[in-house]
Amino acid sequence: MNNDHHLDVTFLGGLGEVGKNMLVLASGDDMIVIDAGVGFPEEDMFGVDLLLPDITYLRQNADRVRGIFITHGHEDHIGALAYLLEAVNAPVYSTRLTQGLLRNRLRERKMLDRADLRLIVPEEDPRITAGCFTVECFRVSHSIPDAVGFAIETPVGLVVHTGDFKFDQTPVDGRLTDMAKLGELGRREPLLLISDCVHVESPGTTPSERVVEQTFDDVMRRASGRVIVATFASNISRVQQVLTTAHRHGRRVACVGRSLQNNVRVALELGYLTPPPDTLIRVAQAAKLPPEQVVYVCTGSQGEPMAVLSRIARGDHKEIRIQPGDTVVISATPIPGNESSVYRLINQLFKQGAEVIYAAHAPVHVSGHASQDELRMMLNLVRPRFVLPFHGEPRHLYLYADLARSVGIPDERIMIGEVGTVFRFDGETAEIVGSVPSGTVYVDGLSVGEAGDKTIVDRRLLARDGVLLIVVTIDRESGQVVAGPEIVGRGFLPDGVGTAFLTAARDHLSQVLGQNGHTSHGRLAATRAIHETVQSFVYQQTRRRPVILPVVLEV
Amino acid sequence: MNNDHHLDVTFLGGLGEVGKNMLVLASGDDMIVIDAGVGFPEEDMFGVDLLLPDITYLRQNADRVRGIFITHGHEDHIGALAYLLEAVNAPVYSTRLTQGLLRNRLRERKMLDRADLRLIVPEEDPRITAGCFTVECFRVSHSIPDAVGFAIETPVGLVVHTGDFKFDQTPVDGRLTDMAKLGELGRREPLLLISDCVHVESPGTTPSERVVEQTFDDVMRRASGRVIVATFASNISRVQQVLTTAHRHGRRVACVGRSLQNNVRVALELGYLTPPPDTLIRVAQAAKLPPEQVVYVCTGSQGEPMAVLSRIARGDHKEIRIQPGDTVVISATPIPGNESSVYRLINQLFKQGAEVIYAAHAPVHVSGHASQDELRMMLNLVRPRFVLPFHGEPRHLYLYADLARSVGIPDERIMIGEVGTVFRFDGETAEIVGSVPSGTVYVDGLSVGEAGDKTIVDRRLLARDGVLLIVVTIDRESGQVVAGPEIVGRGFLPDGVGTAFLTAARDHLSQVLGQNGHTSHGRLAATRAIHETVQSFVYQQTRRRPVILPVVLEV
């Protein structure tokens, strides 16, 4: 098979799902990777803290990887870089702020020394050679400064990757999506556009980040006491807007929480955050000012139980307690799946006496992603032969396909797939030629990749009906029961009725074991008999199926 | 204490929460109850099927209850009636459709014979005497026909209860909220308005149910194949709109699923559903028609795993499978907490090849509840001395308080409370005088009220980190270990690493038990020692806290 005359495009994460973005382009002996992000668990992935892409495919081809290109500094694009660099040794290209943020992450994981970090400056219109690929970049506006997309010249044609983008005409950092560069790329007859599609459900154009500033302005003017703004730790633009607005209303701003403080420090050092004079202060200083002069910025906008805002709402944050006159602004929308936690948080804050301003009733957040008209504009600028929507669940991919058809892309040039799918391009045609090993690696406490699907399924079963544990000691020789059975339940029935029920179950089991004492020689047989007896008794009596764990000891 | 000159208003459900609506008005020796609904579990109430209000307060006062008044036929207003009637014997007043729907529910629970059901016809302007209370009613528009609010003349003044309402000016059933009656009530200087507030986050006016019909019209015109509409089983108005639109496009309609078919049957019998001629057909008939002449209506708009639409999406519905050209309309918005299930369902349907139309990108649903301008209109019509928002989480109650202040209700006349709070009115003043027994009764499989908070908390712990079970048999006399320890885990670590880890834990425990063999006489001491040893070992090694269940047997 001669690989030189085709290009394989494979997502290891971020296709048919939102999160853990990672894309591999392969041609001949060369590969490049775009982004290395983490994902966040769904609510029924019990006990799982983070998701990583399965990088088996890259491990198997580690010597072919010529470069890793990072679009921007959000966790779902940089969070898995340390993990990737344990398997793959290649230079990492990113813009200045992105590099500052990923340095933080690599330092935490003790991987900074091993990383070959290289800076790209879009204004210098760099052309980076990585094996048979030549990579250019262009600025895009997003909800974090210094975001880019990439244009990759491959042996079979030009590939344009949008990164996460919108066409904000008044971005907070003044840096627009580079429409001129996109237009120029469009004139080069690109083979493929790989486009962000996560906001395809929204008609029209995504509002500018500036909209939020007007809300901040209103709130800070009206609030008689302190203002507490919660946002994502990475939302540097939002922090800049708080600083600007606070200064206008004679308020000073303290950032609370380690992850936010780290990001703010990096952004300050690199000049991506420019606080008005005397505006940014420490938490300890804020405590000494009159309430109407104070703004706090903190994390916890998704109701994460350990984040600053949740601790404030529960009344167990050591420095900040809600007091009458406080206004809390939740400057984010709930990520699907987080709604219950977010509304619980809002309810708690109201009950503590705060005024709460949140997305359901005020414009406190805008998306960082392109709406329908912007997605169409990108297609019309780049005019690709093929299009491949990424950064979306299946619903987003299929709606994007409708949208692409609406600007004249024929059906057979719209590529829909999932994680692991290998899309092969030869410059003329495109086809799906199979898939590579792929999936999700769970990070669970200190363990990476140990908890598997079975663990998660077990936790779901335990969650539904609890667990019953039956213990018996039998005589090795005679098979007679010499101690027990004991039955213990957790999460099954509560103490009152539970105790009586478990006694009945135990009596029933004793009787069965007594009758079959002769036949159930050996631990295995006894274990199986106990399992069946208890399971059918419990189901008959309660119509529930707790996890049943029989243990037989021999003496 | 003379009870005759005051009124106690107490919610047993539906205040500071959405669902399980139940309100008690008490004065002197008399009580009336308004609504008796179920609630739906939050996602971390593992294994719980339904929530009921705790009715201890009504059990203790069963002989004082003079009547039960039902506002409309939704589950969160009628679902707990059978349960209530087991404790309280009083006539149940409702409109015709509501009575038809609650008859179904009572029949299922074998309580129909014991219920004294009485009809109210708003057009007759009835005045029902129930002890010292005189109850009138007025029509309101909502997302189900035949909904009403109540006006109750009490010994200390007039109380107006809105029920669930909006001011739809073009309702599907042509029956408007009775603004004239509300105006007349307003002239009688009401003491108290008890107002629905759940949609207070939305500015302006809730769109009319008619809006949805335009979307249905569009979809049925464009769709080349079958159309499948999912909605709530109780949404009779939505079914009427599907029937009307289908007829216009030469399509026929089959209802799928038992709960929907039951409700449709009742509505047909009572004349609340008027299908155009030859439009309503059976599922078996629909299977024989060409796809472009078929519409199915089904349940499952919330992604409930056992509902019709989820079974269709998974490909295991026995009569309906997705085929190319199918369009699925999810005519509902996800209830907070259901987003993940709903989006999972939508993704499955797209992957099966259906076109999916849903709330995030098309107007396929409108709320049945009043938005801000309508809530203000209600306040301005009724002009109450006091106002008590209900049918809302704390965030809704507090935002409603802001809204009430905006139309001139002073702060001290806006009553905010929670389930169980006793609001006492004497005609002049109002105060909170304490609370009555109240809370949530869990329905869990066949058991009602057995699963308690501890059970749910245990299930949460099991779900997070799984369970470890440690079994040892000791000699009763010497305290020496004679069998075990055995350690078994579920949902903790998976087989690969888990086995090795559990062996290490067992060795560690054996060693500790061996050292302390002399001191840990007795089961209790041994149990405690095992718990502590294993817990600290596990936490040290993994930073996780599985549920640890030690069992010690003696021989």
Side-chain angles (χ1 to χ4, degrees), chain A residues 42-43 46-47 201 340 344 347 355 358 393 395 402 444-445 450 459 463 469 471 473 491 494 544 553, chain B residues 42-43 46-47 201 340 344 347 355 358 393 395 402 444-445 450 459 463-464 469 471 473 491 494 544 553:
Chain A
E42 293 178 43
E43 71 245 54
F46 296 129
E201 290 164 348
S340 306
R344 201 173 300 159
N347 287 334
E355 179 81 21
Y358 55 103
E393 298 180 17
R395 62 192 163 112
D402 284 345
D444 182 352
E450 292 183 344
R459 287 179 187 163
L469 140 69
V471 188
T473 306
R544 314 237 36 129
L553 294 182
Chain B
E42 293 178 44
E43 72 245 56
F46 297 129
E201 289 164 348
S340 306
R344 203 172 297 157
N347 286 335
E355 178 80 21
Y358 55 103
E393 297 180 17
R395 61 192 163 114
D402 285 345
D444 182 352
E450 291 183 346
R459 287 178 187 165
R464 202 183 52 195
L469 139 69
V471 188
T473 305
R544 316 239 30 132
L553 295 182

Side-chain angles (χ1 to χ4, degrees), chain A residues 343-505:
Chain A
Y343 289 131
R344 201 173 300 159
L345 171 72
I346 292 171
N347 287 334
Q348 280 174 325
L349 289 166
F350 269 122
K351 285 167 111 173
Q352 296 259 352
E355 179 81 21
V356 191
I357 316 286
Y358 55 103
H361 72 123
V364 288
H365 182 68
V366 294
S367 171
H369 297 271
S371 297
Q372 289 169 6
D373 283 346
E374 293 159 281
L375 294 169
R376 288 196 193 93
M377 193 182 300
M378 181 61 85
L379 278 163
N380 289 333
L381 274 167
V382 176
R383 297 182 299 177
R385 185 168 173 82
F386 295 97
V387 64
L388 198 174
F390 85 109
H391 206 299
E393 298 180 17
R395 62 192 163 112
H396 303 115
L397 307 182
Y398 287 96
L399 289 180
Y400 185 91
D402 284 345
L403 177 137
R405 277 188 287 270
S406 79
V407 299
I409 311 269
D411 223 16
E412 64 277 13
R413 298 197 185 156
I414 303 168
M415 315 302 289
I416 302 282
E418 53 191 22
V419 166
T421 303
V422 181
F423 301 95
R424 181 163 294 176
F425 299 85
D426 67 4
E428 281 300 313
T429 65
E431 56 176 340
I432 290 176
V433 295
S435 62
V436 302
S438 63
T440 299
V441 173
Y442 299 107
V443 182
D444 182 352
L446 295 188
S447 97
V448 176
E450 292 183 344
D453 288 337
K454 183 170 179 315
T455 314
I456 311 295
V457 168
D458 279 348
R459 287 179 187 163
R460 260 174 231 164
L461 292 174
L462 290 167
R464 203 183 52 196
D465 289 337
V467 61
L468 280 188
L469 140 69
I470 306 106
V471 188
V472 177
T473 306
I474 60 173
D475 185 272
R476 192 175 286 111
E477 306 301 323
S478 67
Q480 291 295 320
V481 174
V482 295
E486 282 281 322
I487 304 191
V488 178
R490 282 301 278 273
F492 175 56
L493 289 173
D495 292 352
V497 281
T499 311
F501 176 77
L502 293 184
T503 305

Side-chain angles (χ1 to χ4, degrees), chain A residues 167-188:
Chain A
F167 284 109
D168 191 336
Q169 299 302 316
T170 53
V172 175
D173 66 354
R175 284 169 161 163
L176 300 159
T177 295
D178 190 344
M179 300 185 60
K181 176 79 180 181
L182 287 167
E184 181 217 309
L185 294 170
R187 282 196 301 273
R188 285 155 62 184

